[in-house]
Amino acid sequence: MLQIQKLNVKAAILDMDGVLWRLTTPLVDLPELFNAFSKNNIQVMFATNNGTATVDQYVNKLAGFGISVESWQVLTSAMATGYSLKKTFPNGGPIYIMGEKALHDTLKDFGFYHDTQAPQAVAAGLTRELDYNMLKDTSLMIQKGLPFYFTNPDPTYPTPEGNIPGAGTVLAALEAASGVKAKLAGKPLPFLFELGMQRMNTTPEETLVVGDRLDTDILGGQESGCKTAMVLTGISTREEAEQWQPQLDLVIPDIMGLFEEV
């Protein structure tokens, strides 16, 4: 019996960075991996806390690795931010946005646009163009009392050269400068997991969350009631996973371990 068969699931929600690849370097034979999911009748969704790329960009990146997916299968923390904003501002409108083009483009799809004169809220995420003035202007805007939304808390981001500063590093700076805690949108909050299961029409018991971070992927998956598998190709270590409570369903060297015999 395969590991994934032992878990008795019908669907998987996969993190991408640190699970499928590091930047542009695949971590396993991706066509072989997705052939295995298909062969075992496992539906797949992708849920990432990286808000620096749009859904279409992820679809194209997967296509570059020989994987054909549809846009409805990809969920990002920028999307989660848009949905979160919509709950308070159902008609969209002007907000102050600090982030890369992907965050601006995604929030535009939800009816929000960048405005410095009369914004209703502040929405921010990782930007690799970060400088002091950007932090200063955004923190001053937050201090005006505007609701402060942030894409995700990941402090680091896995790359082939090592773990580099992630969105959580920017988040810490903005919270320190403004004295205001952000409303988070991505993992470990349940939104991305709930939307993924909704789109696949599966229950938590039938759904496996696969990630490389205990504090986002695994915590969010467990709190959503899903089964969880952690790979050792990203951030968290086996030692950390062994100490984690509640226990994970599976800890594997890489994601192909789902299809190993047990």
Side-chain angles (χ1 to χ4, degrees):
M1 179 180 288
L2 302 181
Q3 290 274 27
I4 199 163
Q5 292 171 338
K6 186 178 178 183
L7 294 174
N8 194 30
V9 294
K10 297 180 179 178
I13 298 175
L14 312 180
D15 183 43
M16 291 187 272
D17 303 297
V19 174
L20 302 181
W21 56 63
R22 284 176 177 261
L23 288 183
T24 58
T25 304
L27 293 167
V28 297
D29 185 323
L30 293 178
E32 180 184 352
L33 172 68
F34 287 97
N35 284 337
F37 277 119
S38 179
K39 182 179 177 181
N40 287 277
N41 298 312
I42 303 293
Q43 296 186 76
V44 175
M45 292 285 298
F46 304 88
T48 178
N49 262 0
N50 188 345
T52 62
T54 63
V55 168
D56 286 344
Q57 286 173 320
Y58 275 115
V59 170
N60 290 336
K61 183 169 184 175
L62 284 156
F65 289 122
I67 311 302
S68 177
V69 303
E70 297 184 32
S71 58
W72 65 267
Q73 293 175 268
V74 180
L75 307 170
T76 73
S77 62
M79 289 175 60
T81 306
Y83 276 101
S84 185
L85 280 161
K86 272 286 195 179
K87 290 180 180 178
T88 306
F89 308 102
N91 297 320
I95 60 174
Y96 187 93
I97 305 172
M98 190 199 91
E100 297 193 4
K101 184 175 184 295
L103 181 59
H104 285 260
D105 290 348
T106 301
L107 294 180
K108 184 177 180 181
D109 291 339
F110 287 86
F112 297 99
Y113 57 90
H114 179 62
D115 180 75
T116 61
Q117 301 304 311
Q120 307 168 93
V122 174
L126 175 64
T127 170
R128 289 160 291 190
E129 304 296 322
L130 185 68
D131 61 24
Y132 181 83
N133 284 331
M134 198 178 293
L135 283 174
K136 180 195 74 174
D137 293 344
T138 306
S139 65
L140 287 172
M141 195 65 72
I142 296 166
Q143 290 175 66
K144 291 182 178 181
L146 297 176
F148 172 31
Y149 295 80
F150 200 89
T151 55
N152 63 292
D154 304 53
T156 55
Y157 179 79
T159 73
E161 60 184 329
N163 298 329
I164 63 175
T169 303
V170 179
L171 171 64
L174 286 175
E175 289 184 337
S178 67
V180 177
K181 289 290 184 182
K183 302 174 190 288
L184 297 174
K187 299 177 285 187
L189 277 76
F191 169 75
L192 293 178
F193 305 105
E194 291 173 354
L195 184 57
M197 289 185 281
Q198 179 185 323
R199 289 185 176 184
M200 294 186 292
N201 193 30
T202 58
T203 65
E205 296 76 19
E206 298 170 330
T207 307
L208 174 68
V209 170
V210 184
D212 68 302
R213 293 193 79 114
L214 289 164
D215 56 351
T216 54
D217 307 317
I218 303 305
L219 177 60
Q222 289 180 333
E223 292 192 344
S224 299
C226 299
K227 295 175 181 176
T228 54
M230 195 188 87
V231 297
L232 300 175
T233 49
I235 300 295
S236 298
T237 66
R238 183 180 293 277
E239 292 72 26
E240 290 168 337
E242 289 172 350
Q243 296 172 15
W244 185 261
Q245 292 295 329
Q247 286 187 330
L248 289 79
D249 294 282
L250 198 59
V251 178
I252 46 181
D254 60 50
I255 192 171
M256 283 303 301
L258 292 175
F259 302 99
E260 289 183 355
E261 295 280 351
V262 289

